[in-house]
């Protein structure tokens, strides 16, 4: 049995696309690595934890309930099959048994050793994004987590990373993370934002076009003030301290060029640091399919189609812009897919509104991207003995030596000389840091698989599990 559409990723974009397509007569298989739908944004604690007010973890609870209830109705009606714990590692165009279709290869379950194949006529990539990680001295100490990691802990597990936390880095994600930690009873010792407020002021016109976002940000600010969280704007973490685990961080002020101002360092005791420097699109599956990727994001047209026939993309994979933008893109993609597969032109109702919302939210996202770009001189604070690639334990000094003494002029050569990026994550985490330290553009990924695959899976004919 062939499905009409395989949607990879059950976050906001994947959910919106699945509902829009199935409502127009398309049979959908929703494939996701998580145990529940929602992605990172709508991550829910397991029912067994007995969360009394799960809505307190989200500021778009009504939207989530609408998506969840719609999905349940379509699943009950047999229009959507939801496959959980399916970790997709490759999507390929098939020549047989039915030419022109796609085979979605996944690994099932937490062990990720049982192969599964889902076949479909069309594919939507709603693979989301991941956090940009920039190293600094002490960042590998226990107690240091990413901002998104901290958010996942209290959203999905109702636990916090520590008793006294510093939230640092740059980007709008820091506000909900700090607010959520404070509301959970954690002492947020400081919120350290490296962006210059003047950069936000320069984007005032684009930001003012989305007043709801301003209200949302103001709400976070009020709650943080209520919890007496200290704001340190145009500051950065220069070092994390501790022997066996984190005990304190040193933060310092930045000048107008983004360099640390000498003599401004201050030490803040804490047992956890949640640090983030923005998000990057997940493009691995798109790259394996041969889709065009521009500026680190999947290129799509007005219908969210990639340049590979039969493949659509939506959400953070096409450019990081938040849940609202992902919902709009997913809805438009689902409508487009349904029209292409059924031959029935989409009705105008809802499409124009979603397209207008997408355009406005893309402008808003671009303004935020300009305002919250990681500071240009972050690498100056990375000492030679700082681990950059955790998988292969490559230190910053080795990267600098490869450039200075061995003649490496690009990220790929640095990788070959130092092994930075050759470990389990294949450079997904350390790639931006290695390129920044080397002073060269980040290498273009040419991976055949989107995630590590056991050799046993590749050696035998994969099984097939279809709804």
């Amino acid at each position: 049995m062939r499905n009409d559409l395989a949607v990879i990723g059950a976050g906001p974009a994947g959910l919106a696309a699945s509902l829009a397509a199935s409502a127009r007569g398309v049979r959908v298989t929703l494939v996701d690595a998580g145990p529940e739908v929602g992605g990172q944004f709508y991550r829910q604690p397991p029912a067994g934890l007995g969360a009394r007010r799960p809505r307190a973890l989200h500021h778009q609870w009504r939207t989530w309930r609408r998506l969840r209830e719609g999905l349940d109705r379509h699943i009950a009606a047999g229009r959507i099959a939801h496959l959980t714990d399916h970790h997709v590692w490759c999507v390929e165009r098939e020549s047989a048994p039915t030419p022109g279709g796609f085979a979605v290869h996944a690994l099932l379950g937490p062990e990720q050793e049982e192969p599964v194949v889902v076949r479909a006529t069309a594919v939507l990539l709603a693979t989301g994004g991941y956090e940009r990680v920039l190293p600094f001295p002490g960042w590998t100490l226990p107690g240091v987590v990413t901002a998104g990691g901290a958010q996942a802990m209290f959203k999905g597990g109702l636990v916090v990373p520590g008793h006294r936390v510093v939230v640092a880095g740059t980007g709008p994600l820091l506000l909900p993370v700090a607010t959520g930690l404070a509301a959970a009873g954690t002492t947020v010792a400081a919120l350290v934002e490296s962006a210059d407020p003047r950069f936000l002021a320069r984007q005032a016109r684009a930001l003012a076009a989305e007043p709801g976002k301003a209200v949302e940000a103001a709400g976070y600010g009020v709650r943080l003030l209520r919890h007496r969280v200290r704001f340190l704007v145009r500051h950065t973490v220069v070092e994390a301290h501790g022997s066996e685990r984190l005990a304190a961080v040193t933060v310092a002020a930045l000048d107008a060029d983004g360099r640390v101002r000498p003599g401004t360092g201050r030490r803040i005791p804490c047992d956890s640091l949640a640090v983030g420097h923005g998000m990057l699109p997940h493009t691995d599956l798109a790259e394996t399919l041969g889709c065009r990727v521009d500026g680190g994001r999947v290129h799509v047209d007005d219908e969210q189609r990639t340049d590979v026939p039969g493949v659509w993309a939506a959400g953070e994979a096409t450019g990081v812009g938040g849940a609202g933008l992902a919902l709009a893109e997913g809805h438009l993609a689902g409508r487009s897919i349904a029209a292409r597969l059924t031959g029935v032109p989409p009705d105008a109702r809802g499409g124009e509104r979603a397209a207008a919302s997408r355009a406005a939210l893309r402008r808003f996202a671009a303004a935020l991207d300009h305002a919250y770009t990681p500071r240009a001189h972050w690498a100056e604070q990375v000492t030679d003995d700082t681990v950059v690639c955790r998988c292969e334990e490559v230190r910053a000094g080795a990267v600098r030596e490869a450039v200075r003494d061995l003649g490496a002029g690009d990220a790929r050569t640095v990788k070959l000389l130092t092994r930075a990026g050759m470990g389990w994550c294949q450079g997904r985490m350390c790639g931006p840091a290695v390129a920044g330290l080397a002073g060269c553009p980040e290498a273009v990924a040419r991976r055949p698989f989107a995630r590590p695959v056991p050799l046993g899976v590749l050696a035998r004919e994969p099984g097939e599990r279809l709804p």
Side-chain angles (χ1 to χ4, degrees):
M1 173 181 174
R2 176 179 295 280
N3 299 272
D4 293 329
L5 170 65
V7 176
I8 302 173
L15 286 172
S18 297
L19 295 180
S22 60
R24 291 163 174 80
V26 174
R27 293 176 303 172
V28 178
T29 297
L30 180 58
V31 185
D32 191 52
E36 296 288 344
V37 296
Q40 169 71 353
F41 189 80
Y42 291 121
R43 184 184 292 269
Q44 303 290 311
L49 293 180
R52 292 191 297 271
R53 292 194 314 117
R55 61 178 57 84
L57 300 170
H58 301 277
H59 65 278
Q60 293 185 5
W61 184 256
R62 290 183 180 178
T63 301
W64 159 247
R65 293 307 307 166
R66 176 176 58 81
L67 292 169
R68 176 75 253 191
E69 291 166 3
L71 178 67
D72 290 342
R73 287 195 301 270
H74 284 287
I75 290 175
R79 291 186 288 267
I80 295 179
H82 176 211
L83 305 183
T84 62
D85 282 321
H86 281 62
H87 306 263
V88 177
W89 56 272
C90 180
V91 180
E92 62 176 342
R93 186 179 292 279
E94 288 191 302
S95 56
T98 305
F102 295 90
V104 178
H105 297 271
L107 300 172
L108 177 61
E111 293 82 12
Q112 300 185 36
E113 292 185 353
E114 181 183 344
V116 177
V117 178
V118 174
R119 291 187 166 86
T121 303
V123 171
L124 170 70
L125 304 176
T127 47
Y130 62 100
E131 285 188 271
R132 178 190 283 114
V133 178
L134 299 180
F136 51 88
W139 75 289
T140 58
L141 281 169
V144 179
V145 297
T146 64
Q151 187 181 60
M153 290 172 69
F154 66 76
K155 273 188 174 184
L158 302 182
V159 295
V160 293
H163 300 289
R164 182 178 174 85
V165 183
V166 171
V167 179
T170 190
L173 178 62
L174 301 187
L175 285 172
V177 170
T179 303
L181 290 172
T186 297
T187 298
V188 179
L191 195 162
V192 184
E193 169 61 68
S194 65
D196 191 328
R198 291 176 297 180
F199 294 165
L200 281 172
R202 293 171 189 167
Q203 305 295 328
R205 179 176 297 180
L207 298 178
E210 291 293 323
K213 296 289 187 179
V215 172
E216 180 184 330
Y220 287 133
V222 168
R223 278 174 277 174
L224 291 174
L225 289 172
R226 188 180 303 143
H227 287 284
R228 299 182 180 180
V229 175
R230 177 171 37 167
F231 287 83
L232 296 175
V233 180
R234 212 164 75 182
H235 279 67
T236 190
V237 172
V238 295
E239 187 173 1
H241 308 281
S243 53
E244 295 184 358
R245 64 166 292 113
L246 182 69
V249 297
T250 293
V251 303
L254 301 172
D255 63 18
D257 295 324
R259 285 189 167 91
V260 171
R261 289 168 50 194
T264 62
R266 68 178 79 177
R267 190 180 179 105
I268 302 177
C270 60
D271 60 1
S272 183
L273 169 65
V275 60
H277 296 93
M279 302 286 293
L280 298 170
H282 259 307
T283 61
D284 289 354
L285 290 175
E287 289 165 356
T288 63
L289 279 164
C291 300
R292 175 181 165 191
V293 176
D294 291 333
R297 66 191 67 185
V298 182
H299 176 80
V300 292
D301 65 9
D302 288 343
E303 294 185 32
Q304 300 297 137
R305 293 178 299 178
T306 72
D307 60 342
V308 174
V311 180
W312 282 253
E316 310 285 50
T318 66
V320 175
L325 177 56
L327 288 170
E329 291 186 351
H331 180 76
L332 290 168
R335 290 166 54 92
S336 172
I337 293 167
R340 300 287 172 175
L341 294 183
T342 65
V344 179
D347 58 304
R349 185 180 58 186
E352 294 180 357
R353 185 169 62 250
S357 176
R358 177 182 61 184
L361 289 169
R362 280 180 176 174
R363 289 192 295 270
F364 184 84
L368 288 183
D369 191 51
H370 284 297
Y372 287 113
T373 300
R375 60 191 184 90
H377 303 287
W378 63 267
E380 295 177 1
Q381 300 303 310
V382 180
T383 59
D384 282 349
D385 63 346
T386 300
V387 172
V388 176
C389 171
R390 300 182 72 162
C391 296
E392 295 293 319
E393 297 184 355
V394 179
R395 301 182 183 272
V399 174
R400 289 170 173 147
E401 181 183 2
V403 175
R404 183 184 64 243
D405 300 335
L406 303 179
D410 57 77
R412 182 176 183 275
T413 304
V414 171
K415 177 179 180 178
L416 293 173
L417 292 172
T418 67
R419 295 192 59 81
M422 289 190 180
W424 180 261
C425 82
Q426 285 293 288
R428 291 167 179 83
M429 295 293 104
C430 68
V434 171
L437 284 166
C440 59
E442 193 172 347
V444 177
R446 300 294 184 191
R447 306 183 184 100
F449 307 140
R451 63 172 60 244
V453 183
L455 288 176
V457 170
L458 298 178
R460 68 181 188 266
E461 181 70 18
E464 181 172 352
R465 182 188 299 268
L466 292 174

